[in-house]
Amino acid sequence: MDALQLLKKDKHQFINELMELLRIKSISTDVSYKSEITRAADYLKNKLKIAGVDFAEVIQTNGHPIVYAEKINDPSMPTVLVYGHYDVQPPDPVELWESPPFEPEIRNGKIHARGASDDKGQLYIHIKAFEILMRTNSLKCNVKFLIEGEEEIGSINLRPFVRNNKEKLACDTIIVSDTAMIDSDTPSITVGLRGMSYLEVELTGANRDLHSGIYGGAVPNPINELCRIIASLHDEDGKINISGFYNQVLELSEEQKKELQRIPFNAETYKSDLGLKKIKGENGYTTIERIGYRPTLDVNGIWAGYTGEGKKTVIPAKAFAKISARLVPNQSSEEISKLIISHLKRITPEHLQIKVKKLQGSEFALMPADSDASLSASKAFEKAWGKKPIHTRGGGGISIVTLFQNELNIDPILMGFGLDEDALHSPNESFSLYNFTRGIETVLYFYKYYSDIYKNDNTSI
Amino acid sequence: MDALQLLKKDKHQFINELMELLRIKSISTDVSYKSEITRAADYLKNKLKIAGVDFAEVIQTNGHPIVYAEKINDPSMPTVLVYGHYDVQPPDPVELWESPPFEPEIRNGKIHARGASDDKGQLYIHIKAFEILMRTNSLKCNVKFLIEGEEEIGSINLRPFVRNNKEKLACDTIIVSDTAMIDSDTPSITVGLRGMSYLEVELTGANRDLHSGIYGGAVPNPINELCRIIASLHDEDGKINISGFYNQVLELSEEQKKELQRIPFNAETYKSDLGLKKIKGENGYTTIERIGYRPTLDVNGIWAGYTGEGKKTVIPAKAFAKISARLVPNQSSEEISKLIISHLKRITPEHLQIKVKKLQGSEFALMPADSDASLSASKAFEKAWGKKPIHTRGGGGISIVTLFQNELNIDPILMGFGLDEDALHSPNESFSLYNFTRGIETVLYFYKYYSDIYKNDNTSI
């Protein structure tokens, strides 16, 4: 029985296994979920063993554990390292979920759960594709699995692990499925990612909360002042108002702009999907350009004063905000964080005190589209989806991509099977079952074409 | 044994009773404290009975109950109505309290607890002064107690109660102790209060939370936009940027400005008490003027996006703020709320939706300083504190003051015994024990002088 028939036969079983994985609340940002993190790691270790690896292990770190497994099939053949992450974002605001975030529910062809697309669903594609190749005895190359539990918190402990295990992780290519396709008919390979500087700001006025009647009008209000500071960070054109912020940004060439116009984009669909009357962004750039090729500055959270039911007439002592910038070639996260911090300190009026804490920094990444592995991935997409994949740049960052580039000197191939409508990091995150099975098919083709380059062998899959 | 001796003898007992009252978590803004509200009302009813009223009752309303009691001593004598409230503000942020908010603790001469000064401590002064007069048989006039449980939420149900019980509440003067003195040596009578318009704003961008990588730069961010809107509400001079906002404001006369300069105010002490390097407010006005005579606009709370530990790369669908304006003669809360709401709607860009909810409105109040009751209060302060009280305007609002003016045609006398350092509505709220006992003494003198005006009788107290 060949690989595709086996996929067809067992896909429901595969989906059930994924749903089991999605029931595990592996939220990495919140320490109180530690035991769920461990459960997720053990679950994957066992599934990898069943799939047929030589060995699988859960490796403890200073943070959340790493799952590693490998199958050395034929040392003369190339080795594929598959990266994924089992940790997920917090589900809040929980009240906006139609079904509980950790009780996966299938509605019109999609699994709804936190982590469905980011990244458990996409990761599981690879485990099942590998299993099929093993069961049909059609794996030609070698495979290593590296699965972390800290992607959503900056892969803090993966970095030293990769640095100290270059032998163990030695490979010819790295496959990462943690990105989205352009749309359900249009596969894409992401060849660029934005970096990030993520900061937390604490603005302090008086030494205690004050009654807004007794003090209102006579003392600085940290909320109003924080709003004033944040409002000043963009100008009327939607440009970021921090001197030096754009110095290292590579402008798009006319050629690039033309190339980008080939990407199907329908502003009306985009707006109606988001429920927006109007799109807003940096003047002079298209939406595609704004997302992939331009840096941004967004407030991701703000809190101060009384936020409960009813009213409280208070002028709080402190106001807080989480602010992040998305970075493009050739901006350095280190430099941009410094720029933003010193700018914020400079513009803070003397009747207030500001503290800025760096929560994360990650670098932009660019990957070539013409390597053996990248070409094999393109062929695999074309075969499985009947359409050549488009090479795009993603707006999000995957800090591990630069990690692999720097430590292992390998440009990962980003074979994304997600969709914009998957609502990553949002309530009702979902993953299309069609993409799940079609994704497995794509990965099966990838292994075939990639192996064929090295050994001309036409075992059909 | 005369009244002052009795006060000296029993003051510790009085303080213990107050501490019992302060242990009751009568937070009116949060329905989950309903049973504590009832406990507070019952506690006061019993203490009033013990103090010697003819009768005391807990009267149910559509919200929190009202405690009413009366002593008709001599129908030929005037009747004093004492108003107070037993409800308190929420204690958050609880982590900033040095001792738990509802476990009163005496530290360097002050009781620390939520409600210590606002208003349980000040209210209890009147109950004990009354008790002393009864026990020493030196009450000459009639007394009525009206104590509500909804002052911190706008006295919603007191309004209809007063309207429907004008007979029952008929009196010659109303005493309210819910304000502060200028400082511990300088008594004051508040003859003006600011009104308020309190609003809640909900700003909506996309129909769901979005990943800041995949959408950042291409969609409006409600947090950034809310900050922009809030920042635009004040100009560089600290004036409120809403057309028409100042139209009804009475400017201070040169005479008033001079009179106000008599109020002791030390900017250095004020700043160091608040831990501020610099005071900020509307240009061209002193701190005293800014607080008592000028309107303000403050954000009292703001919340949106991810506010937990660590980072979440989200662009939220919604951002919220609680915004309140303090109003002065002759601004109408109704009109100003309308002005602010229509202004906010006008300046909201079309890529967002805004909803504004009115949480409360209350009117400014002015009281004459030369009525019999007011003059008696002045004399009482002078006798007890050795200093003529200064007539000031309070920055806060007491919505019931206008209620009494409108429904009972009586200007309440605001005999405040609190201090700025009491930290009303803040963590570590406190009330000076010295002011507590000295307050009782002051009220004893008030009854004496006020009664003397009607019946020349020199029973010493």
Side-chain angles (χ1 to χ4, degrees):
Chain A
M1 166 185 229
D2 94 352
L4 294 181
Q5 281 169 342
L6 185 54
L7 167 58
K8 197 164 174 203
K9 178 176 141 306
D10 284 357
K11 70 178 187 205
H12 294 296
Q13 165 59 19
F14 296 168
I15 291 164
N16 290 335
E17 291 172 26
L18 172 57
M19 286 171 80
E20 257 186 87
L21 177 59
L22 289 169
R23 282 190 191 90
I24 304 174
K25 305 185 178 68
S26 45
I27 301 166
S28 51
T29 192
D30 185 339
V31 288
S32 58
Y33 289 91
K34 189 73 187 162
S35 63
E36 292 286 288
I37 284 281
T38 315
R39 273 183 63 213
D42 293 338
Y43 183 86
L44 290 168
K45 175 186 162 194
N46 297 333
K47 290 302 179 195
L48 283 160
K49 280 187 174 161
I50 294 163
V53 294
D54 299 330
F55 71 90
E57 53 189 346
V58 171
I59 301 164
Q60 296 308 321
T61 71
N62 292 331
H64 302 321
I66 289 164
V67 179
Y68 176 80
E70 67 179 40
K71 174 70 191 178
I72 304 305
N73 194 40
D74 173 351
S76 73
M77 289 293 287
T79 299
V80 175
L81 185 141
V82 174
Y83 164 89
H85 66 93
Y86 63 81
D87 63 320
V88 300
Q89 282 276 326
D92 29 334
V94 176
E95 62 276 14
L96 296 186
W97 286 75
E98 284 170 36
S99 52
F102 295 103
E103 294 170 26
E105 188 175 285
I106 296 178
R107 296 193 297 274
N108 38 53
K110 300 177 194 173
I111 303 188
H112 294 78
R114 168 58 83 228
S117 174
D118 177 15
D119 179 46
K120 288 172 174 176
Q122 297 202 56
L123 161 65
Y124 215 65
I125 283 173
H126 287 278
I127 297 177
K128 293 296 107 176
F130 170 77
E131 180 183 312
I132 289 171
L133 291 173
M134 291 303 293
R135 285 165 61 188
T136 55
N137 192 22
S138 42
L139 180 71
K140 297 279 170 289
C141 57
N142 307 302
V143 184
K144 295 176 175 179
F145 287 93
L146 178 65
I147 307 169
E148 71 162 319
E150 300 188 325
E151 196 274 339
E152 302 294 358
I153 53 175
S155 304
I156 313 142
N157 294 289
L158 184 70
R159 189 163 280 98
F161 178 80
V162 171
R163 190 169 295 134
N164 303 328
N165 292 275
K166 294 183 181 180
E167 267 314 305
K168 185 184 192 116
L169 303 176
C171 59
D172 300 280
T173 188
I174 299 174
I175 304 294
V176 178
S177 294
D178 196 19
T179 49
M181 312 187 4
I182 285 167
D183 59 42
S184 46
D185 319 316
T186 318
S188 53
I189 297 176
T190 305
V191 293
L193 292 170
R194 290 195 289 191
M196 180 162 70
S197 298
Y198 199 111
L199 307 169
E200 185 168 311
V201 175
E202 174 188 315
L203 195 65
T204 305
N207 53 16
R208 61 180 190 267
D209 287 5
L210 300 172
H211 186 297
S212 68
I214 297 171
Y215 291 94
V219 298
N221 180 329
I223 306 180
N224 294 72
E225 300 284 348
L226 180 59
C227 290
R228 187 192 300 271
I229 287 171
I230 288 169
S232 77
L233 297 178
H234 288 85
D235 68 14
E236 285 313 309
D237 294 331
K239 289 217 183 310
I240 293 146
N241 232 344
I242 298 173
S243 65
F245 187 86
Y246 291 97
N247 285 359
Q248 308 305 321
V249 173
L250 295 182
E251 283 295 332
L252 286 99
S253 65
E254 281 316 308
E255 202 178 47
Q256 275 177 311
K257 281 177 173 281
K258 271 203 205 67
E259 166 72 12
L260 290 180
Q261 271 144 34
R262 288 189 37 248
I263 300 177
F265 177 78
N266 180 324
E268 290 318 308
T269 328
Y270 189 79
K271 281 188 287 183
S272 68
D273 166 46
L274 297 173
L276 289 170
K277 276 212 211 78
K278 210 174 155 209
I279 307 179
K280 189 180 187 249
E282 185 183 4
N283 290 350
Y285 296 92
T286 67
T287 296
I288 303 276
E289 291 164 356
R290 287 167 176 171
I291 291 167
Y293 295 76
R294 300 296 296 170
T296 68
L297 188 72
D298 273 299
V299 182
N300 304 108
I302 191 165
W303 67 102
Y306 184 65
T307 61
E309 262 305 296
K311 69 182 238 322
K312 185 174 180 214
T313 51
V314 64
I315 295 173
K318 292 176 182 293
F320 301 85
K322 293 177 191 273
I323 301 179
S324 66
R326 295 285 175 172
L327 311 176
V328 299
N330 290 318
Q331 293 177 299
S332 129
S333 143
E334 183 69 23
E335 280 171 30
I336 294 294
S337 297
K338 276 203 202 117
L339 264 184
I340 300 174
I341 291 170
S342 57
H343 177 84
L344 289 171
K345 290 183 172 170
R346 196 165 53 251
I347 66 175
T348 298
E350 61 174 319
H351 48 265
L352 297 154
Q353 291 144 34
I354 190 166
K355 273 193 214 150
V356 189
K357 192 166 65 186
K358 261 170 78 174
L359 291 188
Q360 194 202 343
S362 62
E363 304 306 324
F364 73 86
L366 289 176
M367 281 87 49
D370 53 8
S371 64
D372 288 347
S374 191
L375 293 169
S376 307
S378 295
K379 254 178 94 179
F381 268 120
E382 188 173 357
K383 174 84 172 166
W385 301 77
K387 212 187 218 180
K388 265 194 167 37
I390 296 180
H391 292 90
T392 62
R393 285 203 200 171
I398 308 180
S399 59
I400 51 92
V401 168
T402 32
L403 170 64
F404 292 140
Q405 289 177 321
N406 300 338
E407 301 297 335
L408 305 179
N409 300 311
I410 290 183
D411 295 309
I413 315 294
L414 304 187
M415 297 180 70
F417 300 107
L419 296 172
D420 281 355
E421 69 202 45
D422 288 349
L424 261 59
H425 293 208
S426 304
N428 305 307
E429 178 179 350
S430 65
F431 190 45
S432 151
L433 294 177
Y434 177 86
N435 285 35
F436 178 66
T437 46
R438 186 55 52 99
I440 294 174
E441 199 180 320
T442 311
V443 173
L444 292 171
Y445 287 123
F446 166 77
Y447 279 104
K448 172 178 169 41
Y449 298 137
Y450 187 55
S451 311
D452 286 353
I453 293 171
Y454 288 77
K455 181 185 275 182
N456 208 331
D457 167 333
N458 287 325
T459 324
S460 80
I461 63 162
Chain B
M1 163 183 234
D2 92 352
L4 294 182
Q5 281 169 342
L6 186 54
L7 167 58
K8 199 165 173 203
K9 179 176 140 306
D10 285 356
K11 71 176 185 205
H12 294 297
Q13 165 59 18
F14 296 167
I15 290 163
N16 290 336
E17 289 173 26
L18 171 57
M19 286 172 79
E20 257 186 87
L21 177 59
L22 289 168
R23 282 189 192 92
I24 304 174
K25 306 186 178 67
S26 45
I27 302 166
S28 50
T29 192
D30 184 339
V31 288
S32 57
Y33 289 92
K34 189 73 186 162
S35 64
E36 292 287 288
I37 284 282
T38 314
R39 274 184 62 214
D42 292 338
Y43 184 85
L44 290 169
K45 176 187 161 192
N46 297 333
K47 290 302 180 196
L48 283 160
K49 278 186 174 163
I50 294 163
V53 295
D54 299 331
F55 70 89
E57 53 187 346
V58 171
I59 300 164
Q60 296 309 321
T61 72
N62 292 333
H64 302 322
I66 289 165
V67 179
Y68 177 80
E70 67 178 42
K71 175 71 191 177
I72 303 307
N73 194 41
D74 173 351
S76 73
M77 290 293 286
T79 299
V80 176
L81 186 142
V82 174
Y83 163 89
H85 65 93
Y86 63 81
D87 63 321
V88 301
Q89 281 276 326
D92 31 330
V94 175
E95 63 277 13
L96 296 186
W97 286 75
E98 284 170 37
S99 51
F102 295 103
E103 293 170 27
E105 186 175 286
I106 295 177
R107 296 193 298 272
N108 38 52
K110 300 177 194 171
I111 303 188
H112 294 78
R114 168 59 82 226
S117 174
D118 177 15
D119 179 47
K120 288 173 173 175
Q122 297 204 57
L123 161 64
Y124 215 65
I125 283 174
H126 287 277
I127 296 177
K128 293 296 106 175
F130 170 77
E131 179 183 314
I132 290 172
L133 291 173
M134 291 302 294
R135 286 165 60 189
T136 56
N137 192 22
S138 42
L139 180 72
K140 296 278 169 289
C141 57
N142 308 302
V143 184
K144 294 176 175 179
F145 288 92
L146 176 66
I147 307 169
E148 70 162 319
E150 299 187 327
E151 196 274 340
E152 302 294 359
I153 52 174
S155 304
I156 314 141
N157 293 289
L158 184 70
R159 189 162 277 99
F161 178 81
V162 171
R163 190 169 294 134
N164 302 329
N165 292 274
K166 294 183 180 179
E167 265 316 304
K168 184 184 192 115
L169 303 176
C171 58
D172 300 280
T173 188
I174 299 174
I175 304 295
V176 178
S177 294
D178 195 19
T179 49
M181 313 187 5
I182 285 167
D183 59 43
S184 47
D185 318 316
T186 318
S188 54
I189 296 176
T190 305
V191 294
L193 292 169
R194 290 195 288 192
M196 182 162 69
S197 297
Y198 199 111
L199 308 168
E200 185 168 310
V201 176
E202 175 189 314
L203 196 64
T204 305
N207 53 15
R208 62 180 189 268
D209 287 5
L210 300 172
H211 187 297
S212 68
I214 298 172
Y215 291 94
V219 299
N221 180 328
I223 305 180
N224 293 70
E225 301 284 347
L226 180 58
C227 290
R228 187 193 299 271
I229 286 170
I230 288 168
S232 76
L233 298 178
H234 288 85
D235 67 14
E236 286 312 308
D237 294 330
K239 288 217 184 308
I240 294 147
N241 234 344
I242 297 173
S243 65
F245 187 86
Y246 292 97
N247 285 0
Q248 308 305 321
V249 173
L250 295 181
E251 283 294 333
L252 287 98
S253 65
E254 281 316 308
E255 201 177 47
Q256 276 176 310
K257 280 177 174 282
K258 272 204 202 65
E259 167 71 12
L260 290 180
Q261 273 145 32
R262 288 189 38 249
I263 300 177
F265 177 79
N266 180 324
E268 289 319 308
T269 327
Y270 188 79
K271 281 187 289 183
S272 67
D273 166 46
L274 297 173
L276 288 170
K277 277 213 209 80
K278 208 175 155 210
I279 308 180
K280 189 178 189 253
E282 185 183 3
N283 290 349
Y285 296 91
T286 67
T287 296
I288 302 276
E289 291 165 355
R290 287 167 176 170
I291 291 167
Y293 294 77
R294 299 297 297 171
T296 68
L297 189 71
D298 274 299
V299 182
N300 304 109
I302 191 165
W303 66 103
Y306 184 65
T307 60
E309 263 303 295
K311 69 182 238 325
K312 186 173 180 217
T313 51
V314 64
I315 296 173
K318 291 175 184 293
F320 302 85
K322 294 178 190 271
I323 300 178
S324 66
R326 295 284 174 172
L327 310 176
V328 299
N330 291 319
Q331 293 177 298
S332 129
S333 143
E334 182 70 23
E335 281 171 30
I336 294 296
S337 297
K338 275 203 203 119
L339 265 184
I340 301 174
I341 292 171
S342 58
H343 176 83
L344 288 172
K345 290 183 171 170
R346 195 165 55 251
I347 65 174
T348 299
E350 61 174 318
H351 49 265
L352 297 153
Q353 289 145 32
I354 190 167
K355 273 193 214 152
V356 188
K357 191 166 67 186
K358 261 169 79 174
L359 289 188
Q360 194 203 342
S362 61
E363 304 306 325
F364 73 87
L366 289 176
M367 282 83 58
D370 54 7
S371 65
D372 288 345
S374 191
L375 293 169
S376 306
S378 296
K379 256 179 94 180
F381 268 120
E382 189 174 357
K383 174 82 172 166
W385 301 77
K387 212 187 218 179
K388 265 193 166 38
I390 296 181
H391 291 89
T392 62
R393 285 204 200 171
I398 308 180
S399 58
I400 52 92
V401 167
T402 32
L403 170 63
F404 292 139
Q405 289 178 320
N406 300 339
E407 300 298 334
L408 305 178
N409 300 311
I410 290 183
D411 296 309
I413 315 294
L414 303 187
M415 298 179 70
F417 299 108
L419 295 172
D420 279 357
E421 69 203 43
D422 289 348
L424 261 60
H425 294 207
S426 304
N428 305 306
E429 179 178 351
S430 65
F431 190 45
S432 151
L433 294 176
Y434 177 85
N435 285 35
F436 179 67
T437 46
R438 186 55 51 98
I440 295 174
E441 199 179 320
T442 310
V443 174
L444 292 170
Y445 286 124
F446 166 77
Y447 279 105
K448 173 178 166 45
Y449 298 137
Y450 187 56
S451 311
D452 286 354
I453 293 172
Y454 288 76
K455 181 187 276 180
N456 209 332
D457 168 333
N458 287 327
T459 326
S460 81
I461 64 162

